[in-house]
Amino acid sequence: KAQNDVAKKADSLFSAKEYSESAKIYELIFRDDQVNKKNISLKLAYIYESLGDFPKAIFYLNNYYNLNPDDEVFEKMNKMALENKFTGFERNDLNFILVLYQQFYIYILYTVILIGVFILIILFRKKIYNKKILRRHMILVGLFIVFLLIFINVPNRYQSAIVNKKSFFREHPSSGSPIVGTIETGNKINIFGEEDIWLKVLWNRKIVYIHKNDTWILNS
């Protein structure tokens, strides 16, 4: 009830076009993982676009897109990125694969597990009836098990982030490590790991590190 009252106050300020004040309240609600973030993300995207804060606008619009994948939303996001020279939002092969992986991970996992169970049943039946199991079949089973273990241990939700200020890429996860590049506010990066306060990202086809505080991590 308290949260509903707070949300009503934010909605009232939003309707009155008191965007800065409503944004403060919406952002507090947004941090709660128990709430439906779809409508709040869309309102915050609209607010920050109206205020001319395009890095934050595209951050919340991307959050909305993750919750509601839609070509119209993608085109809006891509247009905003192009107008502000933000990179990482284009529909390239890597982004496409990562989005598919995120959306269909659980179905792929169940399918792979069912195939594994089916193979084990066949092998078990052969064992019961004393039928010979060919060596190449055992090799294939071994490879399948290795693939399954790798697939299960890969994070089922990759992460992306928006850079919130001009930042440096470093060769290793340390502030004393050599700087290998820079990135401007508003650009999007894909995260492939985390070490303490450092995010492991792919940049110019190599793994580099960026400080976690220099990014806004998108909800998956």
Side-chain angles (χ1 to χ4, degrees):
K1 184 179 182 302
Q3 191 179 73
N4 286 338
D5 290 342
V6 171
K8 285 177 182 176
K9 182 179 179 182
D11 290 339
S12 177
L13 290 166
F14 180 82
S15 298
K17 298 186 179 180
E18 297 286 343
Y19 292 144
S20 295
E21 294 305 312
S22 64
K24 291 176 185 176
I25 301 173
Y26 281 135
E27 286 189 322
L28 285 173
I29 301 171
F30 183 83
R31 292 172 194 161
D32 187 348
D33 291 331
Q34 303 302 315
V35 302
N36 185 336
K37 298 186 178 183
K38 190 161 67 172
N39 290 336
I40 295 173
S41 296
L42 196 58
K43 285 181 178 178
L44 283 167
Y46 177 84
I47 288 169
Y48 283 116
E49 184 181 14
S50 300
L51 296 174
D53 190 342
F54 296 106
K56 272 197 172 182
I58 207 164
F59 166 71
Y60 286 110
L61 189 60
N62 204 151
N63 271 304
Y64 177 78
Y65 177 77
N66 287 350
L67 296 167
N68 184 47
D70 180 86
D71 283 341
E72 188 177 349
V73 179
F74 177 82
E75 291 304 325
K76 168 67 176 175
M77 192 164 57
N78 193 42
K79 181 183 177 184
M80 190 184 295
L82 288 171
E83 287 174 350
N84 291 277
K85 297 180 180 178
F86 299 152
T87 61
F89 297 89
E90 57 278 357
R91 191 172 275 166
N92 58 29
D93 292 341
L94 178 60
N95 286 336
F96 180 72
I97 290 168
L98 290 173
V99 168
L100 285 180
Y101 179 76
Q102 178 189 23
Q103 291 178 346
F104 299 107
Y105 169 84
I106 195 68
Y107 303 107
I108 298 170
L109 179 61
Y110 286 157
T111 302
V112 171
I113 289 173
L114 285 172
I115 292 169
V117 170
F118 180 70
I119 291 170
L120 288 174
I121 289 171
I122 292 173
L123 292 176
F124 184 70
R125 285 175 62 87
K126 283 191 173 186
K127 187 73 174 176
I128 289 175
Y129 295 108
N130 293 318
K131 290 185 179 180
K132 185 179 180 181
I133 300 174
L134 298 177
R135 187 168 178 270
R136 64 173 178 269
H137 291 165
M138 293 302 296
I139 291 172
L140 288 173
V141 170
L143 291 173
F144 177 83
I145 291 170
V146 170
F147 169 77
L148 180 59
L149 290 172
I150 291 171
F151 189 82
I152 289 172
N153 284 287
V154 170
N156 63 340
R157 288 180 181 272
Y158 84 95
Q159 287 184 296
S160 298
I162 308 297
V163 178
N164 61 34
K165 64 180 180 181
K166 183 177 180 179
S167 186
F168 300 108
F169 288 126
R170 297 188 181 273
E171 191 174 346
H172 303 290
S174 166
S175 55
S177 177
I179 294 170
V180 293
T182 58
I183 188 166
E184 298 290 337
T185 308
N187 292 304
K188 182 180 177 182
I189 51 177
N190 291 316
I191 303 165
F192 294 96
E194 188 173 335
E195 294 187 30
D196 195 20
I197 56 172
W198 298 92
L199 301 176
K200 183 190 293 186
V201 303
L202 185 66
W203 179 76
N204 282 352
R205 299 182 181 179
K206 62 182 179 181
I207 295 294
V208 294
Y209 295 86
I210 186 172
H211 200 286
K212 192 174 183 178
N213 290 342
D214 294 347
T215 68
W216 296 312
I217 296 177
L218 290 158
N219 291 310
S220 300

